[in-house]
């Protein structure tokens, strides 16, 4: 029996939760790059624009949605660059959000800004969820990109 393994290239941010949960931020298999759910953190893993929480540990409001979405795209761009890719290579994204109306308003603005066009050529999903990995986080975005791989002559 012949066994062939799929060659994978991986990338991480180097934040603590990668090791704690045991996963990589991005993996490329052939021409496709799969990016794990991205959060709005800086290079040290500190959350950017964390939501204020009530006594029960739930977000009080969703005013930070735009800033969190923007930083999440910044983090995705860093990962894509590890593979020589950009947002232009993204074909699908999924936004997991705690509040759909605020995410729709903020996301429509930030997506146009990040992709540099009023109609990004990206299949997009916006899904409301009850909670995310960190209580202060109100949005998480996954990405899938496809890149051209030169063929051997």
């Amino acid at each position: 029996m012949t066994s062939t393994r799929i060659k994978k290239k991986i990338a991480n941010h180097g934040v603590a939760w990668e090791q704690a949960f045991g996963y990589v931020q991005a993996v490329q298999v052939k021409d496709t790059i799969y990016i794990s759910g991205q959060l709005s953190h800086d290079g040290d893993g500190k959350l950017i624009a964390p939501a204020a929480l009530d006594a029960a540990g739930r977000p009080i409001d969703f005013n930070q949605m735009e800033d969190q979405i923007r930083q999440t795209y910044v983090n995705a761009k860093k990962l894509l660059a590890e593979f020589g890719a950009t947002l232009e290579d993204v074909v699908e994204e999924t936004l997991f959000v705690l509040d759909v109306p605020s995410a729709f308003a903020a996301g429509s603005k930030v997506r146009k800004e990040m992709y540099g066009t009023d109609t990004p050529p990206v299949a997009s999903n916006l899904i409301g969820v009850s909670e995310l990995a960190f209580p202060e986080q109100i949005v998480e975005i996954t990405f899938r990109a496809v890149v051209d791989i030169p063929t051997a002559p």
Side-chain angles (χ1 to χ4, degrees):
M1 177 187 301
T2 303
S3 174
T4 58
R5 297 229 175 210
I6 296 174
K7 184 177 179 186
K8 298 178 185 180
K9 180 179 176 186
I10 63 169
N12 276 316
H13 288 301
V15 292
W17 53 86
E18 293 164 350
Q19 186 63 36
F21 191 65
Y23 74 106
V24 296
Q25 294 287 347
V27 60
Q28 180 178 3
V29 177
K30 298 181 182 180
D31 65 347
T32 305
I33 302 164
Y34 304 88
I35 298 183
S36 296
Q38 295 300 294
L39 307 177
S40 65
H41 60 81
D42 64 15
D44 296 323
K46 180 182 175 195
L47 296 178
I48 302 296
L53 304 177
D54 64 16
R58 302 290 298 161
I60 294 170
D61 60 47
F62 302 98
N63 293 329
Q64 302 82 1
M65 187 69 76
E66 186 175 317
D67 290 338
Q68 285 196 16
I69 291 173
R70 185 172 288 107
Q71 183 62 39
T72 300
Y73 275 94
V74 167
N75 292 342
K77 287 169 65 172
K78 288 177 185 175
L79 289 170
L80 288 165
E82 292 286 324
F83 302 96
T86 69
L87 286 177
E88 289 184 21
D89 299 303
V90 172
V91 296
E92 182 180 27
E93 63 183 18
T94 300
L95 292 80
F96 298 94
V97 300
L98 296 188
D99 185 71
V100 171
S102 62
F104 190 86
S108 62
K109 176 182 177 183
V110 176
R111 290 180 73 254
K112 292 172 183 180
E113 172 189 316
M114 289 294 170
Y115 286 106
T117 180
D118 284 343
T119 310
V122 177
S124 186
N125 309 291
L126 179 63
I127 300 171
V129 297
S130 62
E131 59 186 306
L132 295 167
F134 300 109
E136 302 86 1
Q137 219 38 61
I138 55 179
V139 61
E140 181 172 324
I141 308 174
T142 64
F143 299 84
R144 183 176 305 154
V146 178
V147 293
D148 286 329
I149 296 178
T151 56

